[in-house]
Amino acid sequence: MRLTILGCSGSIPGPGKAASGYLLEAEGFLLGVELGNGTLAELQTRHDPFDLGALVLSHLHPDHCADFGALTVLRRYHPAPPFDVLARRLPVHAPENAPARLAKAYAPNDVELAETDLSDVYDFHALGAAPVRIGPFELTAVAVDHPTEAFGLRISHGGRTLAYTGDTGPCPQLDELARGVDVLLSEATWTDAPERPPGVHLSGRQAGELASRAGAGQLLLTHVAPWSDAAAILAEAKAAFPGAVLVEQGATYEL
């Protein structure tokens, strides 16, 4: 499978950088993972957004789903879509409250919200512990530690497995999530410091130590906040996992 980075800026878009967004490709199937601020523009430089086979949102903070409203405009109002979007709704795997949360982000006022139902163009599925099949991929969601309902994701295809932490503070579930994976795509929002609030994000050191404990084959660091020192975060991760690399927007990785 192939991983493409549509955006990797943490918490907000950075200068010239979109927020969180990733594409996984296998057997001609496109799986979107996150759709944060600016990622729909980046997606369009590579693919027609109508080519998405499904979308997964780990949680519903804006930097992971803000462009969902723009995707909705595209699917509802494009004058010549390549297929009947009402008959072929896009599967969206997300936290249980996604239909209501995303409708509120899309509707501009209470009157429109009262009659907004995004299920005309989307087929929503609540993330849970049971593995699900999405095209050629198997997805397992693991609840993680964040101020809102949030999940880490294990995505497998052809004997290879990618684990994605989503946004999370250190928690025992991460070791389950990352155990033995070929690739760990881990958030590393800030440098390590004792005053960091618990249950929010990982530092570079924590990401590196997680990859080392889990026996991950490769560590890709993402979600670095624009105000953080990316070089220091990478150095922290490398101290615990020497092969760690920082992803870049537009980069593609063969997994």
Side-chain angles (χ1 to χ4, degrees), residues 10-52:
S11 298
I12 63 169
K17 292 185 177 181
S20 293
Y22 312 95
L23 271 184
L24 282 170
E25 303 175 58
E27 300 181 28
F29 189 93
L30 289 182
L31 175 63
V33 178
E34 319 287 47
L35 200 64
N37 324 59
T39 55
L40 186 63
E42 189 69 17
L43 172 60
Q44 290 175 85
T45 67
R46 291 165 175 75
H47 298 281
D48 183 338
F50 285 106
D51 290 341
L52 282 175

Short mmCIF file of all heavy atoms in Angstrom, two decimals, residues 10-52:
data_model
loop_
_atom_site.label_atom_id
_atom_site.label_comp_id
_atom_site.label_asym_id
_atom_site.label_seq_id
_atom_site.Cartn_x
_atom_site.Cartn_y
_atom_site.Cartn_z
N GLY A 10 0.27 20.34 12.87
CA GLY A 10 -0.49 19.98 14.06
C GLY A 10 -1.30 21.13 14.63
O GLY A 10 -0.82 22.26 14.73
N SER A 11 -2.54 20.84 14.97
CA SER A 11 -3.46 21.74 15.67
C SER A 11 -4.04 22.84 14.78
O SER A 11 -5.23 23.16 14.88
CB SER A 11 -2.80 22.37 16.90
OG SER A 11 -2.43 21.36 17.82
N ILE A 12 -3.24 23.45 13.93
CA ILE A 12 -3.71 24.42 12.94
C ILE A 12 -2.88 24.25 11.68
O ILE A 12 -1.80 23.66 11.72
CB ILE A 12 -3.58 25.88 13.45
CG1 ILE A 12 -2.12 26.24 13.70
CG2 ILE A 12 -4.43 26.12 14.69
CD1 ILE A 12 -1.88 27.72 13.95
N PRO A 13 -3.33 24.76 10.53
CA PRO A 13 -2.44 24.79 9.37
C PRO A 13 -1.24 25.67 9.67
O PRO A 13 -1.33 26.65 10.42
CB PRO A 13 -3.31 25.40 8.26
CG PRO A 13 -4.71 25.30 8.74
CD PRO A 13 -4.66 25.34 10.23
N GLY A 14 -0.10 25.33 9.08
CA GLY A 14 1.09 26.15 9.24
C GLY A 14 1.36 26.95 7.97
O GLY A 14 0.62 26.83 6.99
N PRO A 15 2.40 27.76 7.95
CA PRO A 15 2.73 28.52 6.74
C PRO A 15 2.98 27.60 5.54
O PRO A 15 3.92 26.81 5.53
CB PRO A 15 4.01 29.26 7.13
CG PRO A 15 3.99 29.32 8.62
CD PRO A 15 3.33 28.04 9.05
N GLY A 16 2.08 27.66 4.57
CA GLY A 16 2.21 26.80 3.40
C GLY A 16 1.96 25.33 3.66
O GLY A 16 2.27 24.50 2.80
N LYS A 17 1.38 25.00 4.82
CA LYS A 17 1.17 23.59 5.18
C LYS A 17 -0.27 23.36 5.62
O LYS A 17 -0.80 24.10 6.45
CB LYS A 17 2.12 23.17 6.31
CG LYS A 17 3.59 23.13 5.90
CD LYS A 17 4.44 22.59 7.03
CE LYS A 17 5.90 22.48 6.61
NZ LYS A 17 6.75 21.94 7.70
N ALA A 18 -0.87 22.33 5.07
CA ALA A 18 -2.22 21.94 5.49
C ALA A 18 -2.16 21.19 6.82
O ALA A 18 -1.09 20.73 7.25
CB ALA A 18 -2.85 21.05 4.42
N ALA A 19 -3.30 21.11 7.47
CA ALA A 19 -3.41 20.33 8.70
C ALA A 19 -3.47 18.84 8.34
O ALA A 19 -3.10 18.44 7.24
CB ALA A 19 -4.63 20.77 9.50
N SER A 20 -3.97 18.02 9.25
CA SER A 20 -3.85 16.57 9.10
C SER A 20 -4.67 16.01 7.94
O SER A 20 -5.88 16.27 7.84
CB SER A 20 -4.28 15.87 10.39
OG SER A 20 -3.39 16.15 11.43
N GLY A 21 -4.04 15.22 7.10
CA GLY A 21 -4.73 14.52 6.03
C GLY A 21 -3.80 13.53 5.36
O GLY A 21 -2.63 13.84 5.09
N TYR A 22 -4.31 12.31 5.10
CA TYR A 22 -3.48 11.24 4.55
C TYR A 22 -4.30 10.43 3.56
O TYR A 22 -5.52 10.36 3.66
CB TYR A 22 -2.98 10.32 5.68
CG TYR A 22 -2.40 11.09 6.84
CD1 TYR A 22 -3.20 11.41 7.95
CD2 TYR A 22 -1.10 11.56 6.81
CE1 TYR A 22 -2.71 12.16 8.99
CE2 TYR A 22 -0.60 12.32 7.87
CZ TYR A 22 -1.41 12.62 8.95
OH TYR A 22 -0.92 13.39 9.98
N LEU A 23 -3.63 9.85 2.61
CA LEU A 23 -4.25 8.93 1.66
C LEU A 23 -3.55 7.60 1.71
O LEU A 23 -2.32 7.53 1.70
CB LEU A 23 -4.11 9.46 0.22
CG LEU A 23 -5.14 10.38 -0.37
CD1 LEU A 23 -4.76 10.66 -1.83
CD2 LEU A 23 -6.54 9.79 -0.29
N LEU A 24 -4.32 6.52 1.75
CA LEU A 24 -3.78 5.18 1.59
C LEU A 24 -4.35 4.58 0.31
O LEU A 24 -5.56 4.68 0.07
CB LEU A 24 -4.15 4.30 2.78
CG LEU A 24 -3.30 4.51 4.05
CD1 LEU A 24 -3.91 3.75 5.22
CD2 LEU A 24 -1.86 4.06 3.82
N GLU A 25 -3.50 3.99 -0.50
CA GLU A 25 -3.91 3.42 -1.78
C GLU A 25 -3.48 1.97 -1.86
O GLU A 25 -2.35 1.62 -1.51
CB GLU A 25 -3.27 4.18 -2.95
CG GLU A 25 -3.57 5.66 -2.99
CD GLU A 25 -2.80 6.36 -4.10
OE1 GLU A 25 -2.98 5.97 -5.27
OE2 GLU A 25 -2.03 7.29 -3.80
N ALA A 26 -4.39 1.13 -2.33
CA ALA A 26 -4.08 -0.28 -2.59
C ALA A 26 -5.14 -0.82 -3.54
O ALA A 26 -6.33 -0.52 -3.40
CB ALA A 26 -4.06 -1.10 -1.31
N GLU A 27 -4.71 -1.59 -4.51
CA GLU A 27 -5.62 -2.23 -5.47
C GLU A 27 -6.56 -1.22 -6.13
O GLU A 27 -7.72 -1.52 -6.40
CB GLU A 27 -6.42 -3.34 -4.78
CG GLU A 27 -5.56 -4.44 -4.19
CD GLU A 27 -6.38 -5.54 -3.52
OE1 GLU A 27 -7.54 -5.75 -3.93
OE2 GLU A 27 -5.84 -6.18 -2.59
N GLY A 28 -6.05 -0.02 -6.37
CA GLY A 28 -6.85 1.00 -7.02
C GLY A 28 -7.86 1.69 -6.13
O GLY A 28 -8.65 2.52 -6.60
N PHE A 29 -7.87 1.37 -4.83
CA PHE A 29 -8.82 1.95 -3.89
C PHE A 29 -8.15 3.07 -3.12
O PHE A 29 -7.03 2.92 -2.63
CB PHE A 29 -9.30 0.88 -2.91
CG PHE A 29 -10.44 1.29 -2.02
CD1 PHE A 29 -11.75 1.03 -2.39
CD2 PHE A 29 -10.21 1.92 -0.80
CE1 PHE A 29 -12.82 1.39 -1.57
CE2 PHE A 29 -11.25 2.29 0.03
CZ PHE A 29 -12.56 2.02 -0.36
N LEU A 30 -8.83 4.22 -2.99
CA LEU A 30 -8.32 5.38 -2.26
C LEU A 30 -9.06 5.51 -0.93
O LEU A 30 -10.28 5.71 -0.91
CB LEU A 30 -8.53 6.67 -3.05
CG LEU A 30 -7.68 6.92 -4.29
CD1 LEU A 30 -8.03 8.27 -4.88
CD2 LEU A 30 -6.20 6.86 -3.96
N LEU A 31 -8.32 5.41 0.15
CA LEU A 31 -8.87 5.59 1.49
C LEU A 31 -8.33 6.88 2.07
O LEU A 31 -7.12 7.03 2.25
CB LEU A 31 -8.50 4.41 2.38
CG LEU A 31 -8.92 4.51 3.86
CD1 LEU A 31 -10.44 4.56 3.98
CD2 LEU A 31 -8.35 3.33 4.65
N GLY A 32 -9.20 7.84 2.35
CA GLY A 32 -8.79 9.07 3.01
C GLY A 32 -8.79 8.87 4.51
O GLY A 32 -9.70 8.25 5.07
N VAL A 33 -7.76 9.39 5.16
CA VAL A 33 -7.68 9.37 6.62
C VAL A 33 -7.48 10.81 7.08
O VAL A 33 -6.42 11.40 6.81
CB VAL A 33 -6.53 8.48 7.12
CG1 VAL A 33 -6.45 8.49 8.64
CG2 VAL A 33 -6.70 7.04 6.62
N GLU A 34 -8.49 11.39 7.70
CA GLU A 34 -8.53 12.79 8.12
C GLU A 34 -8.74 13.71 6.90
O GLU A 34 -8.37 13.36 5.76
CB GLU A 34 -7.27 13.23 8.88
CG GLU A 34 -6.73 12.22 9.88
CD GLU A 34 -7.57 12.08 11.16
OE1 GLU A 34 -8.80 11.96 11.06
OE2 GLU A 34 -6.97 12.05 12.25
N LEU A 35 -9.30 14.88 7.17
CA LEU A 35 -9.52 15.86 6.11
C LEU A 35 -9.49 17.25 6.75
O LEU A 35 -10.47 17.99 6.77
CB LEU A 35 -10.86 15.60 5.40
CG LEU A 35 -11.02 16.22 4.01
CD1 LEU A 35 -10.02 15.62 3.02
CD2 LEU A 35 -12.43 16.04 3.48
N GLY A 36 -8.32 17.59 7.30
CA GLY A 36 -8.15 18.86 8.00
C GLY A 36 -8.03 20.04 7.07
O GLY A 36 -8.05 19.91 5.83
N ASN A 37 -7.88 21.22 7.67
CA ASN A 37 -7.83 22.48 6.91
C ASN A 37 -6.79 22.42 5.80
O ASN A 37 -5.61 22.18 6.04
CB ASN A 37 -7.45 23.65 7.82
CG ASN A 37 -8.02 23.57 9.22
OD1 ASN A 37 -7.74 22.60 9.93
ND2 ASN A 37 -8.75 24.57 9.64
N GLY A 38 -7.21 22.67 4.57
CA GLY A 38 -6.29 22.74 3.44
C GLY A 38 -6.03 21.45 2.72
O GLY A 38 -5.43 21.43 1.64
N THR A 39 -6.51 20.32 3.25
CA THR A 39 -6.17 19.03 2.65
C THR A 39 -6.95 18.73 1.38
O THR A 39 -6.47 18.01 0.51
CB THR A 39 -6.39 17.89 3.66
OG1 THR A 39 -7.74 17.94 4.15
CG2 THR A 39 -5.43 18.01 4.82
N LEU A 40 -8.15 19.30 1.23
CA LEU A 40 -8.91 19.05 0.01
C LEU A 40 -8.20 19.67 -1.20
O LEU A 40 -8.18 19.08 -2.28
CB LEU A 40 -10.34 19.58 0.12
CG LEU A 40 -11.26 19.24 -1.05
CD1 LEU A 40 -11.46 17.73 -1.17
CD2 LEU A 40 -12.61 19.95 -0.91
N ALA A 41 -7.59 20.82 -1.00
CA ALA A 41 -6.82 21.44 -2.08
C ALA A 41 -5.64 20.55 -2.47
O ALA A 41 -5.36 20.33 -3.66
CB ALA A 41 -6.32 22.82 -1.66
N GLU A 42 -4.95 20.02 -1.48
CA GLU A 42 -3.81 19.14 -1.75
C GLU A 42 -4.27 17.85 -2.43
O GLU A 42 -3.61 17.35 -3.35
CB GLU A 42 -3.08 18.84 -0.45
CG GLU A 42 -1.75 18.10 -0.61
CD GLU A 42 -0.66 18.94 -1.24
OE1 GLU A 42 -0.78 20.18 -1.28
OE2 GLU A 42 0.33 18.34 -1.72
N LEU A 43 -5.39 17.31 -1.99
CA LEU A 43 -5.93 16.10 -2.62
C LEU A 43 -6.17 16.32 -4.11
O LEU A 43 -5.87 15.45 -4.94
CB LEU A 43 -7.23 15.70 -1.93
CG LEU A 43 -8.04 14.57 -2.56
CD1 LEU A 43 -7.24 13.28 -2.62
CD2 LEU A 43 -9.36 14.37 -1.80
N GLN A 44 -6.69 17.50 -4.46
CA GLN A 44 -7.04 17.76 -5.85
C GLN A 44 -5.82 17.90 -6.77
O GLN A 44 -5.96 17.82 -7.99
CB GLN A 44 -7.89 19.04 -5.94
CG GLN A 44 -9.28 18.85 -5.37
CD GLN A 44 -10.07 20.13 -5.36
OE1 GLN A 44 -10.70 20.52 -6.35
NE2 GLN A 44 -10.04 20.82 -4.23
N THR A 45 -4.63 18.08 -6.21
CA THR A 45 -3.43 18.10 -7.05
C THR A 45 -3.03 16.69 -7.49
O THR A 45 -2.20 16.54 -8.39
CB THR A 45 -2.24 18.74 -6.31
OG1 THR A 45 -1.84 17.91 -5.21
CG2 THR A 45 -2.60 20.13 -5.80
N ARG A 46 -3.65 15.67 -6.87
CA ARG A 46 -3.28 14.28 -7.16
C ARG A 46 -4.42 13.44 -7.71
O ARG A 46 -4.21 12.57 -8.54
CB ARG A 46 -2.75 13.61 -5.88
CG ARG A 46 -1.42 14.15 -5.44
CD ARG A 46 -1.08 13.78 -4.01
NE ARG A 46 0.26 14.25 -3.70
CZ ARG A 46 0.57 15.51 -3.47
NH1 ARG A 46 -0.38 16.43 -3.49
NH2 ARG A 46 1.82 15.86 -3.22
N HIS A 47 -5.63 13.69 -7.20
CA HIS A 47 -6.77 12.84 -7.56
C HIS A 47 -8.03 13.69 -7.65
O HIS A 47 -8.13 14.76 -7.04
CB HIS A 47 -7.00 11.76 -6.48
CG HIS A 47 -5.87 10.80 -6.31
ND1 HIS A 47 -5.65 9.75 -7.17
CD2 HIS A 47 -4.90 10.73 -5.35
CE1 HIS A 47 -4.59 9.07 -6.76
NE2 HIS A 47 -4.11 9.64 -5.66
N ASP A 48 -8.98 13.19 -8.37
CA ASP A 48 -10.33 13.73 -8.32
C ASP A 48 -10.91 13.30 -6.97
O ASP A 48 -10.94 12.10 -6.66
CB ASP A 48 -11.15 13.14 -9.47
CG ASP A 48 -12.56 13.70 -9.55
OD1 ASP A 48 -13.07 14.20 -8.53
OD2 ASP A 48 -13.16 13.61 -10.64
N PRO A 49 -11.40 14.23 -6.13
CA PRO A 49 -11.96 13.82 -4.84
C PRO A 49 -13.11 12.81 -4.96
O PRO A 49 -13.38 12.07 -4.01
CB PRO A 49 -12.45 15.14 -4.23
CG PRO A 49 -11.57 16.17 -4.85
CD PRO A 49 -11.34 15.69 -6.26
N PHE A 50 -13.76 12.76 -6.12
CA PHE A 50 -14.80 11.76 -6.32
C PHE A 50 -14.23 10.35 -6.38
O PHE A 50 -14.96 9.37 -6.29
CB PHE A 50 -15.59 12.05 -7.59
CG PHE A 50 -16.56 13.18 -7.48
CD1 PHE A 50 -16.30 14.41 -8.07
CD2 PHE A 50 -17.75 13.04 -6.76
CE1 PHE A 50 -17.20 15.46 -7.96
CE2 PHE A 50 -18.65 14.08 -6.65
CZ PHE A 50 -18.37 15.31 -7.24
N ASP A 51 -12.90 10.24 -6.52
CA ASP A 51 -12.27 8.92 -6.57
C ASP A 51 -12.09 8.31 -5.18
O ASP A 51 -11.73 7.13 -5.07
CB ASP A 51 -10.89 9.00 -7.25
CG ASP A 51 -10.99 9.27 -8.74
OD1 ASP A 51 -12.08 9.04 -9.31
OD2 ASP A 51 -9.99 9.72 -9.33
N LEU A 52 -12.32 9.08 -4.12
CA LEU A 52 -12.22 8.51 -2.78
C LEU A 52 -13.20 7.35 -2.64
O LEU A 52 -14.38 7.46 -2.96
CB LEU A 52 -12.56 9.56 -1.72
CG LEU A 52 -11.50 10.59 -1.36
CD1 LEU A 52 -12.07 11.61 -0.38
CD2 LEU A 52 -10.26 9.93 -0.77
#
